[in-house]
């Protein structure tokens, strides 16, 4: 299983970016899909998560500004980021809880994508 993330970049404060992460490989089912981020000198933290039952949750700093969504047919998760702030600057990682068989379930990480919010 591989997770391929894209969509990062440099944006001015108040701007928007949309991250995408597509899962590929031998996948039976995808459970929770999530985005994490890690700023320089800080621990990796959960940004948003979406379960396969339609439940979503967000970290307090991004509530009302970020929206996580998933396209199950494409095995893809998105993170729409609006009203970006300099403190959103970080490397963003996608995370997936995936079953590859009836008794095989693991957590997978994508390579990070850099988001820089600066004027």
């Amino acid at each position: 299983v591989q997770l391929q993330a894209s969509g990062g970049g440099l944006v001015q404060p108040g701007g928007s970016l949309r991250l995408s992460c597509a899962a590929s490989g031998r996948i039976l089912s995808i459970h929770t899909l999530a985005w994490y981020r890690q700023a320089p000198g800080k621990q990796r933290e959960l940004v948003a998560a979406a379960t396969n039952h339609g439940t979503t949750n967000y970290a307090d700093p991004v509530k009302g500004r970020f929206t996580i969504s998933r396209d199950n047919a494409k095995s893809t998760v998105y993170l729409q980021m609006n009203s970006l702030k300099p403190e959103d600057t970080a490397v963003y990682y996608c995370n997936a809880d995936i079953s590859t068989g009836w008794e095989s379930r693991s957590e997978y990480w994508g390579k990070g994508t850099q988001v820089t919010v600066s004027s």
Side-chain angles (χ1 to χ4, degrees):
V1 175
Q2 290 187 328
L3 300 180
Q4 182 65 48
S6 61
L10 173 65
V11 64
Q12 292 186 342
S16 298
L17 281 175
R18 187 192 194 207
L19 305 182
S20 301
C21 178
S24 62
R26 184 178 177 182
I27 297 172
L28 178 62
S29 61
I30 301 177
H31 308 286
T32 300
L33 288 163
W35 288 96
Y36 286 74
R37 68 186 181 186
Q38 188 167 18
K42 295 187 177 181
Q43 290 187 333
R44 190 173 297 188
E45 62 178 4
L46 176 68
V47 176
T51 72
N52 55 342
H53 301 295
T55 303
T56 58
N57 65 284
Y58 297 89
D60 286 343
V62 309
K63 284 181 179 177
R65 300 188 297 122
F66 291 10
T67 302
I68 189 170
S69 61
R70 53 191 287 170
D71 183 334
N72 293 323
K74 295 181 179 179
S75 299
T76 299
V77 61
Y78 305 96
L79 185 68
Q80 178 66 43
M81 304 184 293
N82 298 328
S83 302
L84 282 161
K85 304 175 180 180
E87 51 263 42
D88 294 317
T89 295
V91 178
Y92 284 70
Y93 298 90
C94 59
N95 172 277
D97 178 10
I98 295 175
S99 289
T100 57
W102 294 112
E103 296 181 351
S104 180
R105 180 171 175 173
S106 299
E107 184 179 35
Y108 296 87
W109 290 91
K111 293 182 179 178
T113 184
Q114 176 71 46
V115 172
T116 302
V117 185
S118 175
S119 55

